[in-house]
Amino acid sequence: DAGVIQSPRHEVTEMGQEVTLRCKPISGHNSLFWYRQTMMRGLELLIYFNNNVPIDDSGMPEDRFSAKMPNASFSTLKIQPSEPRDSAVYFCASSSYRAANQPQHFGDGTRLSIL
Amino acid sequence: LAKTTQPISMDSYEGQEVNITCSHNNIATNDYITWYQQFPSQGPRFIIQGYKTKVTNEVASLFIPADRKSSTLSLPRVSLSDTAVYYCLVGDYGGLTFGKGTHLIIQP
């Protein structure tokens, strides 16, 4: 079975540009999570969805960040406008239930560089 | 969510058993303890999870004392490929709060 699929794997763009990161969760999973990883702050939860509905977006750093999940098989994380401090690796994860006792399966991430 | 404390780094040698201990003094009744492993340029990967006592799977064991205020991940007979960052997490639902993790380095 395919795991969590993220695209693109790498993105380099100039500050001020809009960036869209994409995620396809594992089929049948009904919870989806977006994380950001940097050397300084480690892995941070940005937002998570349950049954396509955003449950907790308290980790979204600013209004420049937005996330959507239009259906069970697709989610996007958008940054507009992007800034150099947004440079990080962004991970998407999915699980079969929103409880932490159901393991989360992570994608390989999108490495984002904002120049 | 309960805060966790674990060593920043550990060294060991191939063939040894490695034990990584995590403290979680404020663990709640409904919280599970979960360990993830992360290699460079990859997302974290689930290793093992437990609620109390001992759990064992094909790659690791997890020991949880009766008070559940700490837990120990045990990796038997490590190899060079076990060099990675190991995260201990505590929670019952929702997104996970990752700490800095333990950077485990295995030497030949």
Side-chain angles (χ1 to χ4, degrees):
Chain A
D1 286 341
V4 174
I5 300 172
Q6 293 187 244
S7 64
R9 286 299 311 276
H10 300 91
E11 175 88 13
V12 180
T13 192
E14 294 185 347
M15 65 177 295
Q17 298 298 306
E18 178 180 285
V19 173
T20 299
L21 311 181
R22 298 173 176 80
C23 175
K24 177 179 170 57
I26 292 174
S27 178
H29 282 186
N30 61 353
S31 293
L32 183 139
F33 308 82
W34 282 100
Y35 293 87
R36 177 173 68 175
Q37 187 171 35
T38 62
M39 288 294 292
M40 291 294 294
R41 301 174 67 91
L43 260 166
E44 304 172 277
L45 175 68
L46 300 178
I47 185 171
Y48 78 90
F49 297 81
N50 194 37
N51 292 323
N52 310 338
V53 176
I55 303 300
D56 183 358
D57 65 354
S58 60
M60 296 285 264
E62 301 171 31
D63 291 344
R64 298 184 296 106
F65 286 69
S66 62
K68 294 182 179 179
M69 192 164 186
N71 57 61
S73 59
F74 183 67
S75 177
T76 59
L77 178 67
K78 187 173 292 187
I79 308 173
Q80 167 63 21
S82 58
E83 297 183 3
R85 59 192 168 123
D86 301 331
S87 298
V89 181
Y90 290 81
F91 289 102
C92 176
S94 70
S95 69
S96 62
Y97 185 63
R98 72 183 183 96
N101 61 326
Q102 298 300 314
Q104 292 185 20
H105 299 262
F106 284 75
D108 285 333
T110 294
R111 184 173 295 276
L112 178 63
S113 297
I114 308 296
L115 306 178
Chain B
L1 295 174
K3 178 179 168 60
T4 61
T5 303
Q6 52 184 122
I8 294 176
S9 65
M10 293 181 65
D11 293 333
S12 189
Y13 294 90
E14 282 190 295
Q16 299 295 305
E17 178 184 80
V18 171
N19 297 309
I20 306 175
T21 297
C22 178
S23 298
H24 27 79
N25 292 319
N26 297 322
I27 190 169
T29 303
N30 295 330
D31 286 346
Y32 281 76
I33 300 156
T34 311
W35 286 80
Y36 283 79
Q37 174 193 55
Q38 186 178 24
F39 297 112
S41 301
Q42 294 184 23
R45 183 172 69 106
F46 171 83
I47 301 175
I48 197 167
Q49 182 183 78
Y51 184 80
K52 61 181 179 180
T53 63
K54 177 184 174 182
V55 179
T56 297
N57 62 23
E58 63 275 10
V59 298
S61 295
L62 180 60
F63 298 92
I64 305 169
D67 66 6
R68 304 201 326 122
K69 293 184 183 299
S70 67
S71 58
T72 299
L73 173 72
S74 181
L75 304 172
R77 297 180 299 281
V78 294
S79 64
L80 296 176
S81 62
D82 292 316
T83 293
V85 179
Y86 293 81
Y87 297 96
C88 164
L89 298 102
V90 173
D92 67 338
Y93 69 93
L96 300 175
T97 300
F98 285 81
K100 295 291 187 180
T102 297
H103 190 187
L104 176 65
I105 299 173
I106 306 301
Q107 302 181 43

